[in-house]
Amino acid sequence: MTSLLKRLGGHAGRIVLALVFALPLVFMLVSSFKTDDQIFGDLGSVSAFLPVGALSLDNYTAMFDRVPAARFLLNSVLISSITVVLGIIVNSLAAFALARMRWSGRKVVLTTVIATLIVPFETFALPLVWWVNQLPLLRVNGFQLEWTTGWMDTYQVQILPFVANAFSIFFFHQFFQSIPKELDEAAIMDGAGWFTIYRRIVMPLSGPAVATVAILTFLPAWNSYLWPLMVVQSEELRPVMVGISYFFQLNVGWGQIMAYSSMITVPILALFVAFQRSFVNSIASTGVKG
Amino acid sequence: MTTKTAAPQRLRPVRRTRTNNARRRESLTALGMATPAVVLLIVFLVVPVALAFALAFTDARLISPTPARFVGLRNFTQLFTDPVFYKSLRNTIYFAVVVVPLQAGLALVLALLVNAKVRGINFFRTVYFLPVVTSMVVVSLLWTFLYRQDGLVNNIISTLTLGHFQGPDWLGDPATAMPAIILMSVWQGVGFHMIIWLAGLQTIPAELYEAAELDGATTWQRFRHVTWPGLRSTRTFVLVTITIAAFSLFTQIRVMTQGGPLDSTTTVVFQAVRTGYDQQQTAYAAAISLIFFVLVLTVSLVQRFLTREKD
């Protein structure tokens, strides 16, 4: 009897908490289909969280008229996916060399990589802005190529600084070490080179690690705000998160803001729910290193 | 390891050259494979960290016709006489001191709640985690709306108290702006640490709980003597990550309050971005970054020391 009560009590607690976490997001999505008048009118009652009243896609069409939202979306998709793909290649290669091959300097590199893990991006973001502004850049000027300096306002400045990642290297390293080394020896006997071992043996066995690194690279790239805010000025290079804050400053209606927010959030949430298990496992495994 | 290094010496000279060649090839290939990552890390992490140190002692500006000059400690003397800097420092510490125990504790409660083998438990894990996947920019905009004087939060307060209590203008009042941002930040981030705690909880062997049960331990005693010690290394990780994230408070401030009202929500990173980016004073911002770096480093080292493996 008491255990049943306890279980019911536990469930009641879980349900109340679930409402606390879900309702603001439900409110966002529901409001994106309502007029501003109705959003405010519904605030005092449960209808704030229900798709009731005159629902329409007006906020979505108005938003696309107001800002180049499609362009912002395309930019974010481009930047995030290139960062993920390059990140997987570059970091897994380095981790492979560190985990499975013998060379002098290996220990030093590994220790240095792990040491950089505790440096938060915010501590060097501003010197980095100054620094990328000094880097050489090959620019297309009419039909000519010319060298200038300053990476401001480019795609690469939004991608390259986030490709190499100490955590990804560390994570791949741990995973690669768990794969039996005998496989390498057997492959070398058969005349395979190290790159073949990487590409044909180790990487195909590392699906879960690749998925984890992909998730943990994609999410911050998609959600990034501080960096693009500082290095991107032109509208056509803006990613979604910077796009929304400019949008916010235009003083448009809340319905349109909710529409934009839903547009850049709901697909990610849907992906998360679909791949929930591997997603949560990958986050959980980040805690293992403690 | 020892057998492998000793082996080539016992081989005949011809074999040794061949192994040496293979060795050299292995070293070169490894170097080639590590190079892209190492170069990128040097260019985009090591150099800027070193620059944070170097630029702090110059008068560099983001866009300047004259090259940067060495100015000694000028940026630091200016910083330590800047009242806004002390406010930023105070607000940052205030935020961290409240958020770290609140978020870590709440996350542990959530983890214990969803660590049960009950039907539908996966649903709750998923829901608690939804805000983590949502970007902080979106969360900040959404809550800016919820926190309005006539917004959803105050409407709920009013309904729950049957109209007896009228909520404040959360973000417009210096007394409530920071608490409001704290509440929202915990709402967004707590699911992340719930998962970390959960991973830690699942490494504790079930036999320990069975043994405790046989000894007649109460729920609290089981938590105190089995769960809590079992979470030792997870605890370090959770504390260090929440603290560093709390010190880096920026997005919420930029989107919701711009540091106001009356600098009540200005933080160190927000001030660094404002001076370094909005006002283009790179050197001054580098000095702020440097102080921030020292702060983060000290706190995480102290935490690691305090939560180190005893005995």
Side-chain angles (χ1 to χ4, degrees), chain A residues 10-246:
Chain A
H11 240 56
R14 286 184 201 112
I15 290 167
V16 170
L17 282 162
L19 291 174
V20 170
F21 285 103
L23 284 183
L25 295 168
V26 171
F27 172 80
M28 174 180 87
L29 184 61
V30 165
S31 301
S32 73
F33 299 107
K34 294 179 180 175
T35 63
D36 279 14
D37 284 346
Q38 210 199 331
I39 295 174
F40 281 102
D42 286 349
L43 279 183
S45 66
V46 194
S47 4
F49 306 108
L50 298 173
V52 290
L55 305 175
S56 73
L57 289 171
D58 289 354
N59 289 325
Y60 287 87
T61 50
M63 161 195 83
F64 275 100
D65 286 342
R66 203 65 184 266
V67 285
R71 182 66 196 243
F72 297 166
L73 263 180
L74 180 75
N75 287 339
S76 276
V77 169
L78 206 71
I79 292 163
S80 315
S81 46
I82 295 176
T83 312
V84 168
V85 172
L86 288 180
I88 287 171
I89 298 171
V90 164
N91 295 314
S92 65
L93 273 173
F96 180 85
L98 289 167
R100 302 187 79 85
M101 299 172 76
R102 275 173 304 141
W103 46 292
S104 53
R106 186 181 59 127
K107 282 240 166 66
V108 181
V109 172
L110 187 63
T111 316
T112 317
V113 166
I114 291 173
T116 63
L117 274 172
I118 62 153
V119 186
F121 178 68
E122 287 82 359
T123 58
F124 61 90
L126 282 150
L128 185 59
V129 174
W130 183 86
W131 173 232
V132 294
N133 209 28
Q134 321 290 320
L135 293 176
L137 174 76
L138 193 61
R139 226 185 241 287
V140 186
N141 184 10
F143 292 101
Q144 273 188 320
L145 287 173
E146 58 173 31
W147 284 100
T148 57
T149 49
W151 280 22
M152 291 300 191
D153 238 8
T154 55
Y155 280 115
Q156 85 222 37
V157 78
Q158 301 187 66
I159 296 169
L160 285 181
F162 307 100
V163 167
N165 179 288
F167 180 75
S168 303
I169 296 174
F170 174 75
F171 192 83
F172 274 129
H173 177 264
Q174 299 304 90
F175 197 89
F176 290 167
Q177 276 195 325
S178 70
I179 300 172
K181 291 247 165 47
E182 288 76 32
L183 291 175
D184 298 3
E185 283 156 28
I188 287 173
M189 292 288 195
D190 291 344
W194 285 101
F195 190 75
T196 313
I197 298 172
Y198 160 81
R199 205 171 63 88
R200 306 290 282 275
I201 299 173
V202 169
M203 281 311 266
L205 288 172
S206 304
V210 171
T212 299
V213 169
I215 288 168
L216 293 177
T217 314
F218 178 81
L219 206 58
W222 183 266
N223 288 343
S224 76
Y225 176 66
L226 170 62
W227 182 249
L229 182 75
M230 296 191 294
V231 295
V232 177
Q233 272 98 42
S234 17
E235 200 172 71
E236 63 266 27
L237 292 168
R238 253 173 230 166
V240 286
M241 294 306 158
V242 181
I244 195 178
S245 66
Y246 280 90

Side-chain angles (χ1 to χ4, degrees), chain B residues 46-73:
Chain B
V46 178
V47 169
V49 167
L51 277 173
F53 284 83
L55 287 172
F57 301 95
T58 67
D59 63 354
R61 299 182 69 87
L62 185 57
I63 295 154
S64 168
T66 52
R69 280 181 312 123
F70 177 79
V71 295
L73 291 172

